[in-house]
Amino acid sequence: MAVTMHDVAQRAGVSIKTVSNVVNGYPHIRPETRRRVQDAIDELGYRLNTTARNLRQGRTGMIGLALPELSLPYFAELADSVMRAAEARGVVVLLEQTGAQRERELQALDSPHRRLTDGLLFSPLALEPEETERLQVDYPMVLLGERMFGPVDHVTMANVEAARAATLHLVERGCRRIATVGAHPGETMGSARLRLDGYRKALAEAGLPFDPDLVADAGLWHRSTGAEAMTRLLDAGVQLDGVFAMNDALALGALHVLHTRGVAVPRDVAVIGFDDIDDARYSEPLLSTVDPGREQIAGTAVDLLLERIAGSTVAPRRVVADFRIVARESCLLGQDVH
Amino acid sequence: MAVTMHDVAQRAGVSIKTVSNVVNGYPHIRPETRRRVQDAIDELGYRLNTTARNLRQGRTGMIGLALPELSLPYFAELADSVMRAAEARGVVVLLEQTGAQRERELQALDSPHRRLTDGLLFSPLALEPEETERLQVDYPMVLLGERMFGPVDHVTMANVEAARAATLHLVERGCRRIATVGAHPGETMGSARLRLDGYRKALAEAGLPFDPDLVADAGLWHRSTGAEAMTRLLDAGVQLDGVFAMNDALALGALHVLHTRGVAVPRDVAVIGFDDIDDARYSEPLLSTVDPGREQIAGTAVDLLLERIAGSTVAPRRVVADFRIVARESCLLGQDVH
DNA sequence: GCCTTTGGTTACAACGATGTAGAGTTAATC
DNA sequence: GATTAACTCTACATCGTTGTAACCAAAGGC
């Protein structure tokens, strides 16, 4: 049915291997021969059979990307970035969702998909430090996100630094009573903990006291939980003039509640989020946030993984992406956009 | 490096083909032989090499799913459903985003990914009817969504019927002045047009007049555009007691504005959305909506595609999924949840 | 008791590409 | 002008599976 190299070879009057050489850009081919082969390829509409090449080369040309949920905006956009980065490097991405459940995260490490991919980009949310040794897999892997350490390549965002910068951004705007939304009490290594650390660091640097009443917990980082947390803060009568939300969904929920309660943003309270998801560009007022360097994270992660796949055995690396404060309406200095 | 059937065969003292037979569940094997092979497989930790099988069988075991954007919640959840449906049937999904751009939708039909997949589930948003003939591809394909017709398998939701039912649901609740949000003026075949048709049908059946002032346009179906459209309706001073939003994002944006303006939902205005995205379960008040049968759409689409891949040549089919009204707080009958 | 059927297994040739080794040419070196 | 090096191309084996055909043994039919 399909056209094979054999057909092309016959038509061009050369051996199969020569066709292969042309297709693969082998340099020592007479221009005349190359042209004949190329013509035959064009005339027959030949397309390389990737499966056969992969079998022969012992690779699949695909990498896996295991992440919590596509319906979480940050991960949908991360997937987008990874797919683009992979495409630019000639590999294909196979997506897998773990639902942020410990069990399914462990399964992803050993799923049938692993036979189809040359390596894995893994973004765990639920795995605990005790499970570090489960990450000692026998295939190339690069971790994304803040969880887990151990001797594995790891690409992460500058959670502490970026949270600190976001909080300082509010300080510079004149905020003195800055709340934070999204804390996970007791957490030792997740983003919530790291971003809380950054928040505290900024307060300390600015000479502001740390007030536990200004810390609002939120288990899941959704709009709804952000709204609930903000409601609790307001209901408790806590004085505040700034909010650092640990992600944009929380921030959007908080914005909603502030608006409802008649609190003017940014005049009365300035708000900054984290992640720079697409929705932050459509809110009212426009949400200030932190761009954690998603593109860079995706590109770097794919690069590291491809190096491992190519056989690199250098010591495990840890890359921290550059972040950037995205100043929008929700924390304009001394103004009210309404 | 990796364990092959050859290794297993040697260890079990049988031929490679016998191992293959065991792995593939061929029935005529002596129990004793089967056990020996199975033991060898377990002891060696053998896993089938899918690439080799695919090469031999002339298939890749993968299907493509081309959709507009993962960051649009409906599509993220559709992708999720399709991936599950595919997994249940033993195939793997390769995702591709088209950005809802005509050019990229056309490219998807001819992308290098097509060599890697046995067939394509295609959900176009931007292609126009004139391009119907571009959909006459030489590989198995099933269309998703309402766009395009022509002789191709097609799985779609009951847009008109479901929009009609949603509107009638508001009528039953006592609404007499029902607005709709999300219209695309001039559209002839998209969801906006179909859902508007359903809305009008319901009004007619209920003996209610159609009032163009109650129709709010919204180009992109985002929260922000829903909020803007709702704002325009309220600012225009249009009397209304119900809102049928053409999708949940629009509805959530509308809810937000209503809340802000001090309009009680559902007491003063009842609201219903469309899609039953996850966020609808977390809004305040909880959003009533239409479950368009996403799971069924995904399952059916994968089934149809696999039939085509298996060689079926029956006439192109058109399947319309069952929908279901999901009644939540935002349109409770004669009550106010606040 | 010979002939056919069914069961259980195997050898061998594919699937469509690429790596290796080497055969012929032509060009460069001394 | 003989020796070596660089080009250009081909034959063949190979990647890990599965389909085909065929074998031998045991079972059933008449």
Side-chain angles (χ1 to χ4, degrees):
Chain A
M1 194 74 235
V3 183
T4 75
M5 275 192 177
H6 184 251
D7 303 324
V8 176
Q10 205 147 37
R11 173 145 195 151
V14 297
S15 78
I16 296 184
K17 188 66 222 272
T18 298
V19 177
S20 171
N21 286 339
V22 169
V23 169
N24 290 285
Y26 178 74
H28 303 304
I29 302 173
R30 249 188 307 153
E32 154 69 8
T33 309
R34 184 189 301 280
R35 214 207 67 248
R36 281 222 315 282
V37 170
Q38 194 56 58
D39 287 350
I41 288 177
D42 294 343
E43 286 161 23
L44 297 173
Y46 169 75
R47 313 252 328 244
L48 180 70
N49 180 323
T50 327
T51 307
R53 164 188 278 182
N54 289 340
L55 172 60
R56 184 60 241 241
Q57 298 189 331
R59 318 215 271 97
T60 69
M62 295 191 278
I63 60 177
L65 172 60
L67 42 72
E69 288 274 3
L70 283 178
S71 53
L72 297 176
Y74 175 76
F75 291 106
E77 298 190 11
L78 179 66
D80 189 13
S81 300
V82 168
M83 284 163 62
R84 278 188 227 284
E87 187 177 5
R89 292 157 181 81
V91 297
V92 166
V93 174
L94 220 51
L95 266 177
E96 224 162 333
Q97 295 185 89
T98 61
Q101 293 161 33
R102 194 179 143 278
E103 204 45 50
R104 290 177 57 196
E105 287 185 350
L106 287 172
Q107 279 169 18
L109 291 173
D110 196 37
S111 100
H113 284 203
R114 295 290 74 71
R115 285 285 340 202
L116 282 169
T117 53
D118 298 327
L120 176 65
L121 294 179
F122 187 36
S123 176
L125 258 194
L127 283 186
E128 293 298 329
E130 305 91 71
E131 277 139 345
T132 299
E133 83 275 7
R134 299 290 294 266
L135 293 179
Q136 303 308 309
V137 293
D138 60 355
Y139 50 79
M141 176 168 76
V142 173
L143 285 182
L144 294 171
E146 27 291 323
R147 296 194 80 77
M148 315 299 295
F149 300 89
V152 186
D153 286 328
H154 198 144
V155 181
T156 186
M157 53 180 75
N159 276 288
V160 178
E161 284 310 295
R164 170 178 158 278
T167 309
L168 283 178
H169 187 70
L170 293 174
V171 171
E172 285 161 21
R173 189 227 166 250
C175 301
R176 289 296 169 267
R177 296 279 300 164
I178 302 173
T180 186
V181 172
H184 290 171
E187 187 175 272
T188 58
M189 65 179 315
S191 339
R193 169 55 183 273
L194 298 172
R195 294 179 194 177
L196 183 66
D197 287 352
Y199 163 80
R200 296 190 65 157
K201 217 165 177 173
L203 293 184
E205 279 179 43
L208 296 172
F210 170 72
D211 179 354
D213 288 348
L214 284 170
V215 177
D217 301 341
L220 289 174
W221 283 359
H222 282 189
R223 233 177 256 253
S224 55
T225 51
E228 288 159 16
M230 193 70 233
T231 303
R232 285 199 307 278
L233 282 173
L234 294 178
D235 286 350
V238 183
Q239 276 276 316
L240 56 89
D241 56 10
V243 175
F244 164 55
M246 295 192 184
N247 87 351
D248 287 346
L250 292 166
L252 292 171
L255 272 189
H256 172 82
V257 169
L258 289 169
H259 199 288
T260 305
R261 298 291 190 97
V263 180
V265 176
R267 200 189 53 204
D268 302 336
V269 173
V271 176
I272 191 165
F274 201 115
D275 277 353
D276 194 24
I277 65 171
D278 214 51
D279 273 1
R281 276 181 270 275
Y282 297 105
S283 66
E284 165 65 20
L286 301 183
L287 181 66
S288 295
T289 184
V290 180
D291 169 5
R294 196 170 41 238
E295 295 288 325
Q296 191 193 347
I297 289 175
T300 309
V302 173
D303 284 338
L304 293 188
L305 187 58
L306 291 181
E307 282 174 29
R308 290 293 176 198
I309 290 171
S312 163
T313 55
V314 302
R317 295 149 292 183
R318 188 171 168 80
V319 178
V320 180
D322 303 322
F323 64 90
R324 189 173 60 88
I325 297 289
V326 182
R328 299 206 185 94
E329 294 172 354
S330 71
C331 60
L332 283 187
L333 191 60
Q335 304 178 32
D336 186 351
V337 295
H338 290 273
Chain B
M1 195 74 234
V3 183
T4 74
M5 275 193 178
H6 184 252
D7 303 323
V8 176
Q10 202 148 39
R11 174 145 193 150
V14 297
S15 78
I16 296 185
K17 187 68 221 273
T18 297
V19 177
S20 170
N21 287 339
V22 169
V23 168
N24 291 286
Y26 179 74
H28 304 304
I29 302 173
R30 246 189 309 153
E32 155 68 8
T33 310
R34 183 188 304 280
R35 216 208 65 249
R36 282 220 318 281
V37 171
Q38 193 56 56
D39 287 352
I41 287 177
D42 295 344
E43 286 161 22
L44 296 174
Y46 168 75
R47 313 253 327 244
L48 180 69
N49 181 323
T50 326
T51 306
R53 164 188 278 184
N54 289 340
L55 173 60
R56 182 60 241 240
Q57 299 190 329
R59 317 214 273 97
T60 68
M62 296 192 279
I63 61 177
L65 172 60
L67 43 71
E69 287 275 2
L70 283 177
S71 53
L72 296 176
Y74 174 77
F75 291 107
E77 299 190 12
L78 179 66
D80 190 12
S81 300
V82 168
M83 284 163 62
R84 277 189 227 285
E87 187 177 5
R89 292 157 180 80
V91 298
V92 166
V93 174
L94 219 52
L95 265 177
E96 225 162 334
Q97 295 185 90
T98 61
Q101 293 161 34
R102 195 179 142 279
E103 205 44 51
R104 289 177 59 198
E105 289 184 350
L106 287 172
Q107 278 169 19
L109 291 174
D110 195 38
S111 102
H113 282 203
R114 295 290 74 74
R115 283 285 340 202
L116 248 41
T117 52
D118 298 328
L120 175 66
L121 294 178
F122 187 36
S123 176
L125 258 195
L127 283 187
E128 292 299 329
E130 306 89 70
E131 276 138 345
T132 299
E133 83 276 8
R134 297 291 294 267
L135 292 179
Q136 302 308 310
V137 293
D138 60 355
Y139 49 81
M141 176 168 76
V142 172
L143 285 182
L144 294 171
E146 27 291 322
R147 296 195 80 76
M148 315 301 293
F149 301 90
V152 185
D153 286 327
H154 198 145
V155 181
T156 187
M157 53 180 75
N159 276 288
V160 178
E161 283 311 296
R164 171 178 159 277
T167 309
L168 284 177
H169 187 71
L170 293 176
V171 171
E172 286 160 20
R173 190 226 164 249
C175 300
R176 289 296 168 268
R177 296 277 302 163
I178 302 173
T180 185
V181 172
H184 289 170
E187 187 174 273
T188 57
M189 66 179 314
S191 338
R193 169 55 182 273
L194 299 173
R195 293 179 194 176
L196 183 66
D197 288 351
Y199 162 80
R200 296 190 65 159
K201 217 165 174 172
L203 293 185
E205 278 178 43
L208 296 173
F210 170 72
D211 179 355
D213 288 348
L214 284 169
V215 177
D217 302 341
L220 288 174
W221 284 359
H222 281 190
R223 235 177 254 252
S224 53
T225 52
E228 288 159 17
M230 193 71 234
T231 303
R232 284 198 307 277
L233 282 174
L234 294 178
D235 286 350
V238 183
Q239 276 277 315
L240 56 90
D241 56 10
V243 175
F244 164 55
M246 295 193 186
N247 87 350
D248 286 346
L250 292 166
L252 292 170
L255 272 189
H256 171 82
V257 169
L258 289 169
H259 200 289
T260 305
R261 298 292 188 97
V263 180
V265 176
R267 199 189 54 204
D268 303 335
V269 173
V271 176
I272 191 163
F274 200 114
D275 278 353
D276 193 22
I277 66 172
D278 214 51
D279 273 1
R281 277 181 270 276
Y282 297 106
S283 64
E284 165 62 22
L286 302 183
L287 181 65
S288 296
T289 185
V290 179
D291 169 5
R294 198 171 39 241
E295 295 288 324
Q296 191 194 346
I297 289 174
T300 308
V302 173
D303 284 337
L304 293 188
L305 187 59
L306 291 181
E307 283 173 30
R308 290 291 176 200
I309 291 171
S312 163
T313 55
V314 301
R317 295 149 293 183
R318 186 171 169 79
V319 178
V320 179
D322 302 322
F323 64 90
R324 190 171 58 87
I325 298 289
V326 183
R328 299 207 184 93
E329 294 171 355
S330 71
C331 60
L332 283 187
L333 191 60
Q335 304 177 30
D336 185 352
V337 294
H338 287 275

